[in-house]
Amino acid sequence: MTVTVALFTRDLRVHDNPALVAAHREGAAVVPLFVVDERIVGGRRSAPNRARFLAAALGELDGELRSRDGHLVVRHGDVVDVVDEVVRAVHAESVHLAEDVSWYSRRREEALRKRLAERDCLVHTHPSSITAVDPNELGPSSGRDHFAVFTPYYRRWLDTPVRRPLAAPRGMVVPPVRGEALPEFEESRADSSPQLAVGGCVTGRKLLRQWASRRSEDYASDADDLAADATSRLSPYLHFGCLSPIEVLHQVDVQSPGGAAFARQLAWRDFHHQVLAAHPEAGWRDYRPRDIRWREDPKALRAWQEGRTGFPIVDAGLRQLRAEGWMPNRARLITASFLTKTLRIDWRVGAEHFRYWLVDADVANNQLNWQWVAGTGNDTRPNRVLNPLRQAERYDPDGEYTRRWIPELRDLEGPTIHRPWRAAVPPEVYPSPIAEFNGM
Ligand code: FAD
């Protein structure tokens, strides 16, 4: 009997999962395996919001596998050691997993290949699983190894055919193998966000269907309207692969203005992945070194992290981040620009704060968006500075979003909330601004 292993990583779903489908097709029996990598989940760089989302996502994945006569095998430890042990225990002939681009995932894949070669076990990685378009599929005609600018990439991305979503496998057989309990997460823990989204492929598909049928139409006009909360909020489900980007693309009408604008954002996601695939070191090093002198300012940094900069629109975003583990793109742009362009604090410091709190944080999207804002990344206008007052007037004209997150200013009506210093709000109620801008 041929036995295979489907190693789940950032593809926690049964629908449109190339690695799972291939493992099921090849093996008479499959071990659907998830390894809780303690270096990531419990280690120094752990992130409670993502650990909590992950615990729920594994529960939903197990439920989905059980309804197909299988179950999830969970083990804790070093991924390579655990996979090796499982391969040996069940005499697996191959291991299937999603192709990924980060420095860490590439080292993991290399180490797996090396170790399993000693056991005559093949490792197959599957593209177009974490991204809609494989990062290696699109190359610029100049012969460079990646696109450095989004617009030409997007043109090629639009012309690239995307395969149909794959059906979930049925009638799974899992060979006897030792597993451990699914990880649990104490929801009331103070270090995670009180209003965090619930993880999982069942929840994610439900949200996708609701959003595609009710809200995607208005996306083109409303995505940046902070009060409207009109974006899909699907990013954590895409991050953990509870949803496949290909399935998401097939659920929206990409011919409509809303669907097309939404698909463009998914192309941004793929764009950053192809940059990271070519430059894994962009996770920590400037993509375009620009000789910027970053400032050390612990007091200003703390004010920014805690949402007490004195600029209500900036503080609203940062408080939403802590409360929900998520922020809309416009708020991420405003807060990141404030840190890097106004306070002149290194983008790596801001990215680390986001990495800790964001439930959707990943190296490609977090680090490369930070670099984009800081002017060290792929922005063709690296010197642009977002003035938070102008941003507030444009994207929160009635102050509704800001009022939601800054309760102490709730009594300031309409746009007056964006300039509390004009209303003489005492500093013990709300801090004085820590920087100066035109239009104060
Ligand atoms: P929607 O507007 O509904 O968009 C649909 C999907 O497209 C998103 O779920 C996301 O997967 C993708 N997308 C949208 N905008 C972008 C973008 N600018 N770059 C890449 N993908 C995009 N996104 C992450 O997924 N993880 C991160 O760690 C992350 N960090 C960011 C840090 C900064 C400083 C900035 C400016 C942006 C960051 N983004 C990140 C991108 C973007 O802000 C989020 O993807 C988006 O806000 C998620 O909300 P949504 O699902 O409602 O997006």
Side-chain angles (χ1 to χ4, degrees):
M1 179 170 83
T2 314
V3 181
T4 60
V5 174
L7 177 63
F8 289 98
T9 53
R10 282 175 56 198
D11 53 345
L12 305 182
R13 59 180 184 265
V14 293
H15 295 277
D16 194 45
N17 186 326
L20 179 64
V21 168
H24 182 251
R25 200 174 284 153
E26 185 191 327
V30 185
V31 183
L33 177 66
F34 184 83
V35 184
V36 181
D37 184 337
E38 266 139 17
R39 262 175 308 182
I40 297 181
V41 175
R44 189 173 54 84
R45 286 174 57 77
S46 75
N49 280 341
R50 289 197 298 289
R52 182 166 145 199
F53 193 94
L54 173 69
L58 293 176
E60 290 199 357
L61 176 60
D62 183 47
E64 285 286 82
L65 290 165
R66 283 182 191 276
S67 70
R68 289 162 177 84
D69 305 326
H71 62 270
L72 185 65
V73 176
V74 173
R75 297 274 283 266
H76 293 249
D78 173 79
V79 179
V80 177
D81 290 343
V82 171
V83 175
D84 187 22
E85 247 177 73
V86 170
V87 162
R88 199 163 17 125
V90 298
H91 306 289
E93 291 183 12
S94 62
V95 172
H96 295 260
L97 73 155
E99 193 172 285
D100 203 346
V101 296
S102 68
W103 185 89
Y104 170 80
S105 55
R106 289 206 207 165
R107 294 291 90 75
R108 178 179 62 195
E109 184 192 320
E110 237 169 66
L112 266 178
R113 284 190 193 283
K114 207 162 147 210
R115 179 82 70 86
L116 298 185
E118 295 163 17
R119 303 207 179 281
D120 278 340
C121 175
L122 294 171
V123 175
H124 300 287
T125 55
H126 296 268
S128 307
S129 179
I130 285 173
T131 52
V133 170
D134 176 15
N136 303 312
E137 195 178 333
L138 294 191
S141 42
S142 65
R144 276 189 72 170
D145 55 359
H146 71 293
F147 282 92
V149 176
F150 177 71
T151 310
Y153 172 81
Y154 179 52
R155 264 188 242 120
R156 288 284 299 282
W157 187 89
L158 281 175
D159 288 342
T160 307
V162 170
R163 62 168 172 75
R164 306 251 358 128
L166 306 168
R170 283 197 240 169
M172 298 190 68
V173 176
V174 180
V177 58
R178 182 176 71 80
E180 292 162 20
L182 290 172
E184 283 181 15
F185 192 94
E186 180 53 65
E187 299 211 347
S188 56
R189 262 169 59 170
D191 56 358
S192 78
S193 296
Q195 298 166 46
L196 190 72
V198 175
C201 49
V202 179
T203 307
R205 292 187 102 212
K206 198 164 117 200
L207 287 176
L208 169 61
R209 277 195 302 274
Q210 283 171 354
W211 190 79
S213 63
R214 292 187 211 150
R215 305 221 49 195
S216 59
E217 258 176 39
D218 301 327
Y219 185 83
S221 53
D222 293 356
D224 272 326
D225 177 342
L226 287 164
D229 196 4
T231 67
S232 69
R233 288 181 175 252
L234 293 175
S235 52
Y237 302 91
L238 285 160
H239 167 70
F240 283 95
C242 304
L243 285 174
S244 112
I246 289 184
E247 193 178 6
V248 172
L249 272 174
H250 277 88
Q251 281 279 328
V252 294
D253 172 11
V254 294
Q255 302 306 328
S256 69
F262 178 75
R264 190 171 187 277
Q265 293 314 110
L266 289 171
W268 267 108
R269 185 175 179 273
D270 283 6
F271 171 76
H272 290 312
H273 279 82
Q274 61 95 42
V275 175
L276 192 69
H279 286 279
E281 76 287 355
W284 63 89
R285 198 177 292 156
D286 287 354
Y287 172 80
R288 276 201 186 107
R290 290 190 60 230
D291 200 22
I292 301 174
R293 286 240 181 107
W294 300 114
R295 285 174 60 239
E296 299 257 337
D297 188 341
K299 209 168 141 207
L301 174 62
R302 205 166 321 112
W304 180 85
Q305 288 169 330
E306 291 171 2
R308 289 186 297 98
T309 66
F311 288 91
I313 191 83
V314 174
D315 294 344
L318 292 160
R319 293 193 198 179
Q320 180 179 18
L321 173 64
R322 284 183 181 233
E324 296 189 352
W326 181 88
M327 264 197 272
N329 189 53
R330 181 52 51 187
R332 298 186 202 208
L333 290 168
I334 297 170
T335 52
S337 175
F338 191 86
L339 189 80
T340 55
K341 295 280 177 64
T342 304
L343 300 178
R344 310 292 290 170
I345 292 178
D346 195 330
W347 65 265
R348 280 159 279 253
V349 176
E352 176 54 23
H353 182 68
F354 273 28
R355 186 202 65 78
Y356 181 84
W357 286 102
L358 278 179
V359 64
D360 60 25
D362 55 50
V363 183
N365 291 320
N366 191 39
Q367 316 300 92
L368 292 177
N369 269 300
W370 269 97
Q371 293 228 42
W372 191 91
V373 176
T376 58
N378 305 89
D379 189 0
T380 47
R381 286 173 51 206
N383 295 323
R384 80 173 93 203
V385 180
L386 301 184
N387 176 327
L389 301 173
R390 304 251 154 77
Q391 293 286 309
E393 276 154 17
R394 190 154 171 206
Y395 300 112
D396 189 26
D398 298 323
E400 198 183 321
Y401 168 78
T402 305
R403 220 165 281 116
R404 213 174 281 159
W405 294 107
I406 314 285
E408 64 269 36
L409 298 180
R410 201 177 283 146
D411 294 340
L412 296 184
E413 284 177 10
T416 59
I417 192 169
H418 297 310
R419 291 178 176 80
W421 49 89
R422 288 193 186 168
V425 174
E428 57 280 11
V429 174
Y430 183 74
S432 308
I434 62 168
E436 283 198 9
F437 279 97
N438 282 341
M440 286 182 76

